[in-house]
Every structure is written in C-alpha cells, then in structure tokens.
Amino acid sequence: MKGSYLGEFQEIVLLAVMALQGQGYGVNIQEELKKRINRDISRGALHSALVRLDEKGFVKSSMGGATAVRGGRPKRYYEVTPSGRKALEEAQQLRNQFYRSMPDIVVNLQ
Amino acid sequence: MHQPPSLYTKLLKWFCRESLYDELQGDLEEVFYSNLEAIGYAHAAKVYRREVIQLFRPSVIKKTQIKMPANNLLPHYLKTTFRNLVSNKVSTAISLFGLTVGIATSAFIFQFNQYEESYDAFHKKAVNIYRIQNNIVSSTSGEVLSERAATFYGAGQTIVEEINEVVKSTTVWDADGIFTYDNNPIKEEKILYTDASFFEIFDFPLTTGNAADLGSPGSLFISESMATKMFNDQNPMGKIIRYDGLRTNTSFTLEVKGVFKDLPPNSSFEAEAIVPLAQLHNHHVQNSPFGIPFEQYVWRWNEFYTYLEIDPKAKKSAVEEKVNQYYHKYRATYDEANGRHQSIVLQNLPDIHLRPGLFAELSPTSDRDMIRFFYLIAVLILLIAWINYINMSTAVAVKRAREVGVRKVLGAVRKQLVVQFLLESLVVNVIATILAAILIIAVAPFSVTFLDKDIFHLLPQMSSFWILVSASLLIGSLLAGFYPAIILSSFRPAQVLKTSLKYTPQGILLRKGLVIFQFTIASFLLSGAIAVQSQLKFMLEQDPGFNMDRTLVIETPPGVFRDSTYQSRIRSFLNFVDSQNGVEITSTSSLVPGRLNRWSGAASLSSNPDQESVYMSRMSMGPNFVDVYGLDVIAGRNFRQKNGYDASGKALVNTTAAKNLGFDEPEQILGETLRLMPSIRLEVIGVVADYIQNDMHSAIAPMLIQLDSTESGYFVSVKFNGDPKSLLTELDTEYSRLFPRNPFVYQFLDQSYQSQYEADQKFQQIFNFFTSIAILIACLGLFGLSMFMVVQKRKEVSIRKVLGASQLGLVSRLLKEYWQLIGLAMIVSIPVSCLMVNEWLDSFAYRTEISLATFLIPMILLSVIVLLTVSQSTILLINASPIKNLRND
C-alpha cells in the first residue's frame, strides 16, 4: 500500500488534472489549483507532485505540438489513468469511513 | 518587448534536464507573459525568478555522473575527519564554538534585517503603490522646512481624477477612541479612517463583509482579535457600537459591516478598527471646526496619509512631476503668500518603514542606514569566525603532518588531500550550522521580549533566509577550508616524516595577518560601542533646559468628554491639587516635555510682511508652567495671573523662534505682533530660553506659546515634594469623583522623558552584545595562534633558557609579538572607526565629541584580554623543561 499512497497535495493535484479532462498542462494546472484552493503553487512543487503521480501510474502524459505563444515550446499534457481514478475513489472512501465513525457533535453554526 | 530575466533562463537551462527543459521553460514563459500584461515587468520578473529557483529540486536537476574513483575514499575521509575532530578536542571545541556563535549571530542579524525589510512587501501590488511624502520647501532659500508623512485631504481624490497613470488612491487618517458595546467601553489606539479603495489597493483580506461598505458612513470594520475582544464568540456582523472619537471630539453610532484578518506584524499600518472616511467628511461638512465651508479647506488640512496605485507601465518620475504640478495648482494661492511651496516625493510602499524622520509617521520606522550597518556587522562577525577556523586548523597541522606524509608515501596525490581537507571543513561547518540553528531556536523566545517583535514569525515564508544560510555554509566551508587544505597538502613527505615540521615565514605572516584583521574588526566595533555609550550618556545627562525632578503629569479627560460643566470641574480639581500637602505648584498645558506635538503653524511679523514666515510648534500653558519646569524667561515677562489673566492675544516664544524671525537679541522681539493663518494676531510679551522638548536626535523647534486661560490643556503638571504615594491616592479619588468615565492616568515626567531614549538604549545593548561576540571569537583565534606559537617557539625558548635567559625576559619577549599585532590592528582600525563614529554622531542634533577614550579604552581592554588569552600557552612554554624539547632532534 505504501507505494501507492496518495498524499494530500498529490491528491489535490490529481483532482485538478482530472478536472481539466486531459487538457491540463503546467500553467493551467497551476491556475486551477490557485482557483480552487487559493494557494500559489510553484511550478517546481507541481512538477515534483506530477513526477510522483507518474511514478505511481496515476497520471500519464503526452507532449503536445509546438506552439507559437511560448517561444515555440511544446506543452506536456497530463491525464488521469484508471488506476489514478481508483486511487482517488479509495482516498475518498477512506475519509468517508472516518467521517462516519465520528460521534455526533453539536455544531454551533453562526 | 520585455524578455524573462535571461540570467535565470540560462540558470534553468544549466541545471534542468534536457528532456524537461522545453516544457518547463515554456510554462514559465507563458506565465511570465501573462503576468507582464497584468502586473508589469518588475513583478512578472520576480515571479519568474522565484519559479526558477523553486525548480531547483532533485526531480528536475540533471543527473550528473559523479566520477567516483574506483576505490571510493569518501567513507574513509569521513572516518578520519571524525577521528581527528575527536582527538584534538580543544581545537575542535574552539573552532566549533567560534563558528557556531558566529553563524548564529550573523543569521540572527540577517533575519532581523530581512524582517525590517519585509515591511509592506507582502502586498501583491507593493511595487506599484506609492505614498505621498509632502515636503514644505522655502521658495527663497530652497531649504526643506518640514518633511511630512501626511498630506492634504483633497490630494488623493484630485490626483486619481486628473492623472491617468494613477489607477486608484486611498486616503487614511489615524485616530483613537473608545468603542462601547453593551455598556462595556474598550479604548482603542489603532483606528484608521479610510475609503473603500483601501481594501482594493492593499491585500488585507476580509473574513466577512463587503469592502464597498467602507464607502458609506455609519459602517465599521473591525479586526478578528477586536471582534473576539468585543463580542467573544457572538457574530459581530450588524452589531451597533457607540464610538467616541478622541481626535474628532465627536461620538458616532456605527454598525459592524465587516471583519478583517488581523494585520500582519510587518505592516506599517496598525489597525484594530476601520471607520469610513465619509464619516469624517460628513461631520466636517455639517460642522466645520474652522468656521469656513469644508470645500475650502480640503487643500489646507494636511493630516491625511495618501496612497496611490500607479499603472505598472507608468514611470514614477513622470507621475511625481505631474503630482507636483497639481499641488502647485491647488496650493499656489496659500503658499505664495507664505513664500513656500509643497514638494512631493512619491515613496514606494516597501521603503516607508526604512525612511525615518518624517513628521507624524503612522508607525515606528526603522532606518536603512542602521540595517546596512547591521549587515556589515553580520559579515564581519562571520569573517572573524571563519578566520578563527583557519587559524585553529593550521595550528593543529603539526599533528597532521605525519598523516599527510604517510598518505603521500602510500600514493595519495595532492588533489585527493585537498578534497579530504575541504571535506573536513565542510563537516565542521555543517555541524556548526546545525548547532547554530539550535542556538537560534533556543534564543528566539528571548529575542521576542527584547526586540518587542517576533522576527522569526514569518521565517517559513522567507526563503531568502535559508538560501543565505546554505550559501554561507558552502562559501564558509570553501573559504575556511581552502587555506588549511593547501598548506596541509603541500607538506613534503620526506621532510615531515624525517624531522619535525618547519613552517615557512610566509605562512606565519599570513596567520598573523589574519589575527591582525580580526583584531582590527574587534577594536573597530569596540570603539563604536564606546561611542554609542558616550552619546547615550551625553543625551541622558545633558541639561535639557528644564527641571524634570519631582514632577507629576496627570492627563485630563479628552475633548469628547468635555461638556459645559468641564471647566468648573477641572477648576475644582486644580484647586483640590493645590490644596494638597506636598504640592508646590501646578499648571495646565497642552504639551509637556517628551510628548510629540501635532499643533503647529506658520507665523510672520506684522511689522515686516515681506519676510518669510516661520513654521512653529505651538502650545498653550498656564502661567505657572514656567515655574513647574524651572524655565528661564530671558526677556520680557511671563503670562500674568495675579489680578486676572492677561488679555488673550499675548504670546511667548522661545529663543530659536526669536532667532528664526530675525532677532538675534531676544529683547528686540518684545512688542512685535505675530500673524498666523487664518487671522490670528499675537503680541510677543516674552522670550523663554530654549529647552529640549523631545529627544536630542532633532534640533529644537521654534516654539510659540499661548496662554491657557480656560484650563483646557491636556496635561496638569504638579511639582511635589516628599513621597508622592499618598498624594497619588488622594488625587486618584478626587479625579475619579469629578471625571467618572475617565481613568486616572499619570506619569512621573523624568521617567517618561527618559523613555524617549529606549530605542537608543536598545541599540546600545544590541551593539554591545555583538561587539562582545566579535571580541570573544577573535580571542579564540588568538588562542589558536598562541597554541601554534608554543610549538613553533619551543626550541628557541629552550635554547634561551639554557643560555640563562630570565623568566621575565622570556615573557616580555614572547608577549612583544602579540603587542605588535594589537598595535598594528589599532593603527588600522582607529582612522576607520574615527570616520564612522563621527558620521554616526552627526545624525544627532546634539552630539558629544569623540574623546580620546573612544580609542584608548579599546586599546587597553584588548591588551588585557590578549594577555589573559595567551598567558596559559606562554606559561606552558617558559616552564617546559628544555631537555625535553631539545632532545628530540
């Protein structure tokens, strides 16, 4: 289980990749994360997470064609693999189990 | 067209794997260009640089083939390193101690400086935000009469309307007041009045509420901690609060419309509550305190901090020029009559905290010069520590000579030996850095109490700190390891194996040079410390021109609590005070020594309307004030009290004011009439000798004193004799009876006046501390040198002893060398410290002179310290039996 453990940050990155439906590459994943969790993630931190996810087989990537806007440099697109999807579901189930096992508490809403 | 910073692109290309370079650089470039559009070049480049630095991580860096020799010696080197460290316990301890303390101290100073420099830099648009610094300049002489942090009420609004490059502006006014909710009053010092743009320009996040509400009167925004303080865990939104403004002298009813996150400690704004500026505006439209319509004084009321957000593409100098033009347009009518004009400087937001000396600054400032000086000290201390390591490791070289010889015989080439010794240096530096980190963590809590701010609070966000620590670790290991490595690896095997070691004269010279350098720094810092000490003593002991002994100052209720019965109440309080046992004399006044004065005005002579007016600090006082404080009336007379007060329209001035108005002899100004805006006429009846109202950093201001005939002053000064304890309880009871809603606030004037020098005292303590550390480490270095000398001089001393030299003669001979080193160090350091000390002293309006002691004391002190440091090894040397030392060769 240890090899495929999904850390919190990796999980969020994986979710972002999934949300972008195969169109995710460095910049728009960063933007997606900024939009969702309002944190500035450096490209370096994102890269590390994507490499880890790739090593675990949760994402796969492919190079796009050359573009005109970014000095002709190609983009690398990321896509969630079926096992990545499964890992996300497992993570969610794990949490749900915990939540279910929590005692009822009085929530003081304001 | 702007490009991403090319240096960083190259850097990325250098360390990044080729297979990743295209996509990563492409991503960064894309972000850069979209940022360029949105937030301007400076910020986009900053983001780019940060992104490149943060890509420097194992998953991105090229896999380098480290060419390991077939027989990997690394583990072996590490093993011998630790063995050597353990076997030379004394020298290891000394170098580790020196390095640890040195690294910890300089890292600490560095973090302090970083913290000071981080003020206001956290706003995303910080580089594009400027504050208007309003200088008042004499048109005739060009002299800057006043440098003000605040400016006119109307400025911000006009400028944003008229100058295209200014995107937004916000106007801020600071106040204090009392908030009452549920009959529970809370006094709050940190209140800002501002407009809705405030939250748009600055990044102060709102927890709840809509920033736009700040535009409409009647709303109130409070900080999270204020919300907790006032409402505990109730929802603050929509709560109705009564606000008694002390600076506005009015009461408002406000509704909480928003809660903002507590402002970070490194913000130059301090606010627990924010009130709409419109509140103030409306109040002044309805009842103008100056008796003229509000529109007519929006360009005359200059107590407003005004911030402009400028288009990133605009040039600051161009905007500054335009702002100056508009100031001229709106102010010319008032200024020309007074022979002066407004000169505007746009201060970039992050620079505000490091620019001291502006009039009425929002929060305490630091000083860029001091920050730079601290950087210098940090570098010097680190240098001393590294030199120390060099000295220690070459001193133990004798013991290592055989090792080197054996290694060479067994086939080690010089390069391998250099690597080995550099690795040792790296290991020692790493250990020292870890110890330094532990030391810092241990000391950090004390630093919070001492500095009154938590400089490590923001450490996780400050990557520069860690970059610097690693850089200094690397540089330090190389720098400190290089020389010992070269020396040690240069030994010739035949020589070192056959006989004992001989040192080259150059080597000894260099080591002496390093010690001289260390002591130059040490004596430089010591001279500085003595100068700081004597200036502080000078400031505390210098006669300020008034008597502050046995003086009690009681604060009277602020204006908002004064109703029609106030005057009779304060009169009866004053009578009560006068009737007390032990009270000599009392007086009311609008100002007491040591307090900052906001009341000022430009005065000119009726008899000579063409002459330039003089900007004066103003105050009012009762006739007894002069006696309470023992002021000298050197010409004319004091205000009269017997047989009724002086008619209003009489004034006293101080000597400086008389002089600035053109009267060298104080008598000459008597009978002159002063004109002040709008239509005040005051006849000068007397001249008071200058006294130092505030600290000695700034010169005495010209002062205009009017009579407080209605006892409306904010302070009651009481001259007492004997023990004030029972007097205080009496006064407290009576005060609480007369002014039930106000706490009894008092100070002893000597204490509150001297507390102005707290920052200076703190500076002195910090300086002393760093100086002691520098001296301590330098001594360790000298100790290392003396240990080395023991080995070196063994034979010489033995022969002298055999030939009948006396012990005293030997001691003086040995010590002579150290004296020479110290002497040389002094010769180098004295001119430098003389220059620096003089410059520093010049920053004070009243300064002490550099005394001979500034340089004599370091000389004597260092000599004594040196004597103590080297005594042990010298005694060792002269007591050793000559036979032992001579037999071996």
Side-chain angles (χ1 to χ4, degrees):
Chain A
M1 200 48 198
K2 194 189 169 209
S4 61
Y5 170 72
L6 199 55
E8 187 220 14
F9 181 57
Q10 288 173 21
E11 185 182 342
I12 288 167
V13 170
L14 193 55
L15 284 165
V17 172
M18 191 157 75
L20 289 164
Q21 304 185 346
Q23 293 304 306
Y25 68 104
V27 176
N28 65 4
I29 298 176
Q30 253 175 311
E31 280 167 2
E32 185 74 17
L33 290 170
K34 167 83 187 160
K35 202 167 77 192
R36 301 270 179 182
I37 58 171
N38 197 22
R39 253 168 63 189
D40 279 313
I41 306 296
S42 79
R43 185 65 184 82
L46 178 62
H47 177 81
S48 291
L50 287 169
V51 168
R52 298 277 173 279
L53 289 170
D54 191 42
E55 281 168 1
K56 293 172 191 167
F58 292 164
V59 295
K60 63 182 180 194
S61 64
S62 58
M63 293 303 282
T67 47
V69 282
R70 24 190 276 156
R73 304 198 192 285
K75 299 170 182 171
R76 181 181 291 276
Y77 290 103
Y78 290 88
E79 198 181 338
V80 180
T81 61
S83 66
R85 202 172 273 269
K86 205 171 140 238
L88 277 177
E89 279 160 15
E90 276 169 9
Q92 200 181 4
Q93 270 169 19
L94 195 69
R95 277 180 201 201
N96 287 344
Q97 276 171 21
F98 275 120
Y99 278 119
R100 275 198 294 274
S101 66
M102 238 169 7
D104 286 341
I105 49 172
V106 181
V107 180
N108 186 14
L109 288 177
Q110 290 177 7
Chain B
M1 189 65 179
H2 284 299
Q3 298 276 335
S6 63
L7 183 70
Y8 282 80
T9 312
K10 277 182 197 150
L11 181 71
L12 179 64
K13 195 170 177 100
W14 174 70
F15 73 71
C16 180
R17 280 183 214 171
E18 259 160 52
S19 58
L20 294 173
Y21 176 72
D22 275 347
E23 49 164 305
L24 290 177
Q25 211 278 329
D27 282 357
L28 296 196
E29 207 171 309
E30 189 182 331
V31 171
F32 173 78
Y33 283 118
S34 78
N35 277 346
L36 187 63
E37 285 287 302
I39 48 176
Y41 177 74
H43 204 73
K46 195 174 142 196
V47 172
Y48 188 86
R49 287 193 285 265
R50 198 178 55 212
E51 287 282 16
V52 169
I53 296 296
Q54 293 191 359
L55 273 174
F56 193 80
R57 54 180 69 224
S59 60
V60 179
I61 298 170
K62 270 179 193 155
K63 283 218 169 75
T64 46
Q65 268 96 45
I66 300 169
K67 289 182 202 86
M68 281 286 176
N71 46 350
N72 186 1
L73 288 170
L74 200 63
H76 169 76
Y77 287 161
L78 283 177
K79 196 188 269 176
T80 40
T81 299
F82 283 109
R83 266 186 209 158
N84 272 307
L85 290 181
V86 173
S87 70
N88 301 315
K89 282 192 189 69
V90 176
S91 74
T92 305
I94 290 176
S95 4
L96 268 182
F97 181 79
L99 279 173
T100 304
V101 173
I103 292 171
T105 311
S106 37
F108 196 90
I109 300 176
F110 181 79
Q111 180 55 24
F112 174 78
N113 284 353
Q114 286 281 299
Y115 183 84
E116 291 294 315
E117 288 177 337
S118 77
Y119 266 72
D120 294 330
F122 57 86
H123 298 289
K124 284 217 182 66
K125 291 185 276 192
V127 285
N128 300 325
I129 303 173
Y130 292 88
R131 185 177 73 180
I132 292 180
Q133 178 192 328
N134 191 347
N135 295 350
I136 299 172
V137 181
S138 158
S139 298
T140 41
S141 63
E143 186 197 349
V144 178
L145 304 169
S146 171
E147 295 175 311
R148 309 173 77 92
T151 189
F152 302 99
Y153 178 80
Q157 186 127 35
T158 315
I159 285 165
V160 79
E161 278 164 16
E162 307 225 18
I163 304 178
N164 287 337
E165 290 96 322
V166 178
V167 187
K168 276 180 196 133
S169 82
T170 185
T171 305
V172 177
W173 196 65
D174 66 319
D176 49 2
I178 293 165
F179 290 105
T180 315
Y181 175 70
D182 210 10
N183 289 326
N184 183 21
I186 293 178
K187 178 155 191 218
E188 192 43 73
E189 308 271 344
K190 298 165 182 171
I191 302 170
L192 297 181
Y193 281 70
T194 187
D195 46 44
S197 315
F198 184 78
F199 285 116
E200 293 167 20
I201 294 180
F202 300 110
D203 292 314
F204 294 126
L206 286 176
T207 325
T208 42
N210 181 0
D213 286 335
L214 197 48
S216 43
S219 38
L220 174 68
F221 284 66
I222 54 174
S223 71
E224 283 179 351
S225 50
M226 176 89 170
T228 325
K229 199 158 76 179
M230 267 186 152
F231 307 113
N232 290 324
D233 40 3
Q234 295 176 53
N235 183 1
M237 296 295 282
K239 291 267 186 320
I240 307 292
I241 288 177
R242 177 193 158 88
Y243 167 47
D244 296 303
L246 301 184
R247 218 181 145 188
T248 45
N249 278 356
T250 46
S251 304
F252 302 122
T253 308
L254 303 172
E255 182 189 349
V256 180
K257 285 282 183 68
V259 178
F260 55 91
K261 279 221 169 73
D262 288 358
L263 307 194
N266 57 347
S267 161
S268 64
F269 290 109
E270 294 170 336
E272 294 298 336
I274 297 181
V275 182
L277 194 65
Q279 196 82 41
L280 189 72
H281 183 104
N282 288 1
H283 175 69
H284 276 257
V285 168
Q286 282 155 19
N287 30 12
S288 159
F290 304 109
I292 46 174
F294 185 54
E295 300 77 58
Q296 286 181 25
Y297 62 88
V298 290
W299 272 95
R300 297 175 72 176
W301 188 9
N302 60 347
E303 289 182 329
F304 295 86
Y305 305 90
T306 304
Y307 298 80
L308 308 176
E309 184 192 335
I310 289 176
D311 188 330
K313 289 171 208 123
K315 266 185 86 177
K316 176 207 159 195
S317 54
V319 178
E320 202 168 70
E321 207 185 306
K322 282 189 188 171
V323 172
N324 271 302
Q325 283 166 9
Y326 280 106
Y327 265 77
H328 184 71
K329 183 175 155 192
Y330 290 99
R331 284 287 310 173
T333 36
Y334 314 116
D335 285 339
E336 272 162 16
N338 284 314
R340 66 182 43 151
H341 63 272
Q342 317 287 327
S343 160
I344 302 308
V345 179
L346 293 184
Q347 284 184 290
N348 195 208
L349 186 62
D351 295 337
I352 291 174
H353 181 68
L354 300 177
R355 166 69 168 86
L358 294 187
F359 181 77
E361 187 57 81
L362 261 179
S363 61
T365 49
S366 185
D367 186 345
R368 197 176 284 283
D369 288 339
M370 193 184 78
I371 298 291
R372 287 202 184 117
F373 182 64
F374 278 162
Y375 272 128
L376 178 72
I377 293 185
V379 170
L380 290 181
I381 287 182
L382 207 53
L383 270 179
I384 292 185
W386 284 335
I387 289 174
N388 201 16
Y389 174 75
I390 296 176
N391 263 334
M392 288 313 296
S393 52
T394 40
V396 294
V398 201
K399 291 189 184 171
R400 312 279 310 259
R402 293 244 153 80
E403 178 194 334
V404 172
V406 172
R407 280 181 191 279
K408 281 198 170 176
V409 167
L410 290 175
V413 291
R414 190 166 178 189
K415 212 168 100 188
Q416 282 174 313
L417 288 166
V418 170
V419 170
Q420 183 196 343
F421 290 119
L422 281 182
L423 188 75
E424 278 186 20
S425 163
L426 182 68
V427 168
V428 173
N429 272 282
V430 167
I431 297 175
T433 307
I434 294 168
L435 291 177
I438 296 170
L439 191 63
I440 285 180
I441 292 166
V443 171
F446 300 102
S447 80
V448 179
T449 14
F450 182 71
L451 297 172
D452 211 15
K453 42 179 126 187
D454 188 0
I455 59 169
F456 293 98
H457 171 71
L458 297 159
L459 195 57
Q461 285 129 277
M462 290 180 167
S463 52
S464 52
F465 178 76
W466 300 110
I467 292 173
L468 187 100
V469 168
S470 347
S472 82
L473 178 64
L474 218 67
I475 298 170
S477 316
L478 286 177
L479 203 71
F482 198 68
Y483 176 69
I486 293 293
I487 294 293
L488 288 169
S489 64
S490 69
F491 294 147
R492 291 170 193 286
Q495 231 173 46
V496 293
L497 290 177
K498 198 173 69 189
T499 66
S500 71
L501 187 65
K502 296 267 193 311
Y503 284 95
T504 57
Q506 297 98 312
I508 297 169
L509 209 65
L510 183 85
R511 248 183 316 278
K512 282 186 179 168
L514 291 178
V515 169
I516 291 174
F517 183 67
Q518 282 184 314
F519 274 84
T520 306
I521 296 171
S523 79
F524 164 67
L525 289 177
L526 201 51
S527 298
I530 290 166
V532 172
Q533 159 112 39
S534 60
Q535 172 66 16
L536 191 65
K537 196 164 162 242
F538 171 80
M539 291 195 290
L540 291 174
E541 289 176 1
Q542 180 78 341
D543 178 17
F546 67 92
N547 188 345
M548 62 179 104
D549 298 337
R550 297 180 285 116
T551 308
L552 181 70
V553 172
I554 301 162
E555 291 184 19
T556 60
V560 70
F561 293 108
R562 298 180 178 184
D563 51 18
S564 53
T565 65
Y566 175 73
Q567 201 176 349
S568 63
R569 281 190 286 157
I570 190 77
R571 284 236 161 100
S572 73
F573 180 68
L574 287 171
N575 288 336
F576 178 81
V577 178
D578 275 330
S579 68
Q580 290 304 301
N581 253 343
V583 170
E584 285 178 12
I585 193 161
T586 56
S587 174
T588 58
S589 60
S590 70
L591 184 71
V592 292
R595 294 291 184 126
L596 284 177
N597 191 10
R598 284 193 196 244
W599 191 21
S600 62
S604 58
L605 290 170
S606 281
S607 60
N608 190 3
D610 297 335
Q611 197 194 329
E612 211 182 309
S613 54
V614 171
Y615 216 71
M616 297 216 215
S617 177
R618 295 172 68 183
M619 67 175 281
S620 65
M621 64 181 203
N624 288 342
F625 190 83
V626 166
D627 296 323
V628 174
Y629 289 100
L631 302 182
D632 266 343
V633 180
I634 51 174
R637 61 175 177 85
N638 184 11
F639 295 117
R640 234 197 309 266
Q641 188 174 33
K642 277 179 199 145
N643 314 322
Y645 281 125
D646 265 308
S648 64
K650 302 270 196 278
L652 302 178
V653 293
N654 70 354
T655 322
T656 305
K659 215 165 267 171
N660 291 7
L661 284 163
F663 300 97
D664 288 335
E665 291 302 320
E667 283 80 13
Q668 293 167 336
I669 199 173
L670 300 177
E672 292 281 349
T673 303
L674 297 177
R675 302 198 320 178
L676 282 99
M677 300 286 266
S679 58
I680 301 168
R681 299 283 179 279
L682 295 167
E683 188 201 337
V684 178
I685 56 162
V687 178
V688 174
D690 280 344
Y691 64 91
I692 297 173
Q693 165 63 29
N694 292 108
D695 58 35
M696 295 194 194
H697 286 275
S698 40
I700 291 173
M703 178 95 85
L704 176 64
I705 308 165
Q706 280 159 262
L707 177 65
D708 178 16
S709 56
T710 54
E711 276 95 21
S712 61
Y714 297 113
F715 303 99
V716 175
S717 306
V718 180
K719 188 84 166 180
F720 62 89
N721 51 39
D723 187 8
K725 208 175 258 167
S726 63
L727 176 65
L728 277 172
T729 31
E730 290 291 323
L731 294 186
D732 191 356
T733 327
E734 181 67 6
Y735 187 93
S736 310
R737 192 182 69 79
L738 284 167
F739 310 108
R741 284 180 66 196
N742 294 95
F744 179 67
V745 182
Y746 69 91
Q747 278 127 18
F748 291 104
L749 193 88
D750 48 354
Q751 289 166 11
S752 61
Y753 188 79
Q754 303 291 36
S755 71
Q756 293 182 101
Y757 294 110
E758 261 169 28
D760 295 293
Q761 276 162 333
K762 212 153 250 188
F763 178 72
Q764 188 214 2
Q765 287 167 344
I766 294 174
F767 201 110
N768 283 353
F769 180 70
F770 292 147
T771 306
S772 336
I773 284 183
I775 293 172
L776 176 71
I777 304 175
C779 283
L780 292 178
L782 189 72
F783 185 71
L785 183 77
S786 72
M787 280 180 23
F788 162 77
M789 289 286 208
V790 172
V791 185
Q792 186 66 14
K793 298 253 158 159
R794 218 165 30 189
K795 212 176 284 176
E796 180 194 328
V797 171
S798 303
I799 292 170
R800 284 184 193 280
K801 265 180 105 169
V802 171
L803 293 178
S806 71
Q807 289 222 332
L808 199 67
L810 277 175
V811 170
S812 72
R813 201 181 168 76
L814 287 167
L815 289 183
K816 206 177 79 189
E817 291 201 33
Y818 299 115
W819 297 140
Q820 281 170 351
L821 297 186
I822 301 301
L824 263 169
M826 293 306 293
I827 290 169
V828 182
S829 82
I830 286 176
V832 183
S833 25
C834 198
L835 230 72
M836 295 278 281
V837 164
N838 208 21
E839 180 139 320
W840 179 74
L841 285 175
D842 271 343
S843 70
F844 293 86
Y846 302 93
R847 48 163 283 186
T848 167
E849 287 312 311
I850 300 176
S851 64
L852 200 59
T854 317
F855 307 106
L856 268 180
I857 294 176
M859 206 181 303
I860 296 165
L861 198 62
L862 283 181
S863 305
V864 172
I865 293 173
V866 164
L867 189 69
L868 291 174
T869 314
V870 301
S871 58
Q872 191 235 354
S873 59
T874 310
I875 292 165
L876 211 71
L877 195 56
I878 53 175
N879 283 346
S881 142
I883 302 163
K884 256 189 195 163
N885 285 337
L886 292 173
R887 192 172 49 188
N888 282 342
D889 293 307

